[in-house]
């Protein structure tokens, strides 16, 4: 039987793919931990969709989210590996296709949505609210990626930052789309 606990992290260190051991508080470890949090948040959105009475009409959205979870898992592996060892371990970064897929999905949802004329509050159906939370986690990841990109040149490819920026747009649009499909009016910000 393989044990879940290894005891190798008991002293506050963990290993990157390739073996380099770092403190668990290191920005690299923190960053892929944030991606893991975002992935779990998407799991929550999927659970809300699956338990929805309208789950049939949201099956394509649920499928998109499942695909995104796999992409984020790959991104976590990419972030957990030193750049010079990514080829050795066949760890790929974010592709131009990953970015284009998000843009296509955003554009398709926007075609169905009413025009946005005011700022909206994160509210509505549970799936939509959880999607807004995913959006804010995504923005936090983006801020940390920008900082890492400044402090550790070459650790991130440019597609990584573009993807994360586009992903937060996807979550914003998806939250609106879920509320729209589930018949919940958007809650507008009032000064």
């Amino acid at each position: 039987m393989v044990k879940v606990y290894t005891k190798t992290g008991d002293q506050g260190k963990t290993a990157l793919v390739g073996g380099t051991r770092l403190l668990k508080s290191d920005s690299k470890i923190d960053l892929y931990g944030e991606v893991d949090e975002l992935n779990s948040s998407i799991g929550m959105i999927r659970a809300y969709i699956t338990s929805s009475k309208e789950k049939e009409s949201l099956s394509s959205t649920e499928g998109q989210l499942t695909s995104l979870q796999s992409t984020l898992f790959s991104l976590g592996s990419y972030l957990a590996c030193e750049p010079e060892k990514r080829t050795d371990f066949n760890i790929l970064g974010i592709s131009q296709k990953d970015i284009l897929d998000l843009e296509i999905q955003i554009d398709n949802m926007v075609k169905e949505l009413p025009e946005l004329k005011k700022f909206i509050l994160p509210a509505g159906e549970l799936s939509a609210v959880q999607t807004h939370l995913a959006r804010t986690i995504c923005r936090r990841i983006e801020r940390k990626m920008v900082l890492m990109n400044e402090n550790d040149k070459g650790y991130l490819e440019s597609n990584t930052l573009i993807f994360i920026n586009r992903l937060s747009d996807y979550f914003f649009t998806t939250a609106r789309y879920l509320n729209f499909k589930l018949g919940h009016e958007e809650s507008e910000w009032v000064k």
Side-chain angles (χ1 to χ4, degrees), residues 8-32 79-84 86 148 152 155:
T8 59
D10 289 352
Q11 302 306 312
K13 288 191 173 187
T14 191
L16 292 174
V17 176
T20 302
R21 295 195 63 77
L22 299 172
L23 287 172
K24 290 182 179 185
S25 60
D26 187 279
S27 61
K28 292 176 178 82
I29 308 304
D30 183 46
L31 188 55
Y32 75 75
L79 294 171
C81 189
E82 297 151 292
E84 64 275 5
R86 290 177 182 146
M148 178 169 288
D152 195 348
Y155 201 79

Side-chain angles (χ1 to χ4, degrees), residues 40 46 48 80 83 91 100 110 115:
S40 296
R46 290 181 56 208
Y48 284 132
I91 295 176
L100 184 60
V110 166
E115 184 182 353

Side-chain angles (χ1 to χ4, degrees), residues 98-131:
D98 294 324
I99 296 165
L100 184 60
D101 286 348
L102 282 178
E103 291 172 352
I104 290 168
Q105 292 169 20
I106 291 167
D107 291 344
N108 287 337
M109 286 185 283
V110 166
K111 287 177 191 173
E112 290 187 52
L113 292 171
E115 184 182 353
L116 187 61
K117 295 179 181 179
K118 295 186 177 185
F119 288 108
I120 59 169
L121 300 174
E125 293 290 326
L126 288 173
S127 58
V129 174
Q130 185 66 38
T131 305

Side-chain angles (χ1 to χ4, degrees), residues 13-180:
K13 288 191 173 187
T14 191
L16 292 174
V17 176
T20 302
R21 295 195 63 77
L22 299 172
L23 287 172
K24 290 182 179 185
S25 60
D26 187 279
S27 61
K28 292 176 178 82
I29 308 304
D30 183 46
L31 188 55
Y32 75 75
E34 300 276 0
V35 171
D36 187 33
E37 180 183 352
L38 179 58
N39 207 334
S40 296
S41 182
I42 294 171
M44 191 66 131
I45 299 165
R46 290 181 56 208
Y48 284 132
I49 288 172
T50 304
S51 65
S52 167
K53 292 178 277 185
E54 303 295 325
K55 66 181 170 187
E56 306 329 320
S57 68
L58 298 173
S59 63
S60 66
T61 303
E62 205 268 338
Q64 292 168 3
L65 292 167
T66 303
S67 178
L68 269 175
Q69 283 188 294
S70 292
T71 302
L72 286 174
F73 203 90
S74 296
L75 177 58
S77 298
Y78 169 85
L79 294 171
C81 189
E82 297 151 292
E84 64 275 5
K85 296 191 178 181
R86 290 177 182 146
T87 305
D88 297 344
F89 290 97
N90 195 29
I91 295 176
L92 305 174
I94 296 296
S95 71
Q96 193 65 37
K97 182 186 178 312
D98 294 324
I99 296 165
L100 184 60
D101 286 348
L102 282 178
E103 291 172 352
I104 290 168
Q105 292 169 20
I106 291 167
D107 291 344
N108 287 337
M109 286 185 283
V110 166
K111 287 177 191 173
E112 290 187 52
L113 292 171
E115 184 182 353
L116 187 61
K117 295 179 181 179
K118 295 186 177 185
F119 288 108
I120 59 169
L121 300 174
E125 293 290 326
L126 288 173
S127 58
V129 174
Q130 185 66 38
T131 305
H132 277 296
L133 183 59
R135 174 184 55 79
T136 63
I137 295 168
C138 191
R139 285 292 188 203
R140 181 180 349 124
I141 291 168
E142 182 180 21
R143 291 188 300 271
K144 289 184 178 189
M145 280 185 173
V146 168
L147 182 62
M148 178 169 288
N149 210 38
E150 288 297 311
N151 294 337
D152 195 348
K153 302 277 187 223
Y155 201 79
L156 302 173
E157 295 169 346
S158 61
N159 279 347
T160 308
L161 280 169
I162 295 167
F163 175 79
I164 287 296
N165 183 46
R166 206 70 79 249
L167 185 57
S168 62
D169 296 334
Y170 168 83
F171 287 129
F172 177 78
T173 307
T174 301
R176 292 192 66 221
Y177 184 78
L178 289 167
N179 273 334
F180 177 74

